[in-house]
Amino acid sequence: MARTRALMTETERELIASEESEQRRYEAVSRVRGRVRDELTKDIELLKEHHPELFEELREVVCEDQEGEDGV
């Protein structure tokens, strides 16, 4: 089965992790930021209203990762 992207494409992941092409890195960050602010927000609202269980799964994944980084 082919892998699909969640928030970033494989290329965007590579560019953001890289320190080489600053312009391309900036562009990748800008595209991802737009998805977070626009598309992800719409998806979250839709899940909250129409599929709360799936919204809760998303929230757990995002919050679990955040808690692990903060040591909380």
Side-chain angles (χ1 to χ4, degrees):
M1 176 194 283
R3 294 188 69 194
T4 61
R5 71 175 165 97
L7 186 58
M8 296 185 282
T9 65
E10 188 62 36
T11 300
E12 288 166 340
R13 290 180 183 129
E14 291 170 7
L15 288 168
I16 289 172
S18 173
E19 295 182 15
E20 293 181 25
S21 177
E22 194 59 33
Q23 179 61 34
R24 291 190 67 208
R25 182 175 189 261
Y26 174 83
E27 292 168 359
V29 168
S30 180
R31 283 190 302 272
V32 172
R33 182 176 284 123
R35 285 187 211 120
V36 167
R37 290 183 178 167
D38 300 330
E39 302 308 318
L40 185 58
T41 301
K42 292 174 191 173
D43 291 348
I44 288 170
E45 291 304 316
L46 186 132
L47 289 175
K48 276 184 184 178
E49 183 176 344
H50 299 286
H51 205 302
E53 183 179 310
L54 191 52
F55 167 74
E56 184 61 27
E57 288 178 38
L58 172 63
R59 191 190 67 73
E60 287 174 5
V61 168
V62 171
C63 293
E64 179 181 303
D65 288 348
Q66 185 63 37
E67 290 173 2
E69 291 176 10
D70 292 339
V72 176

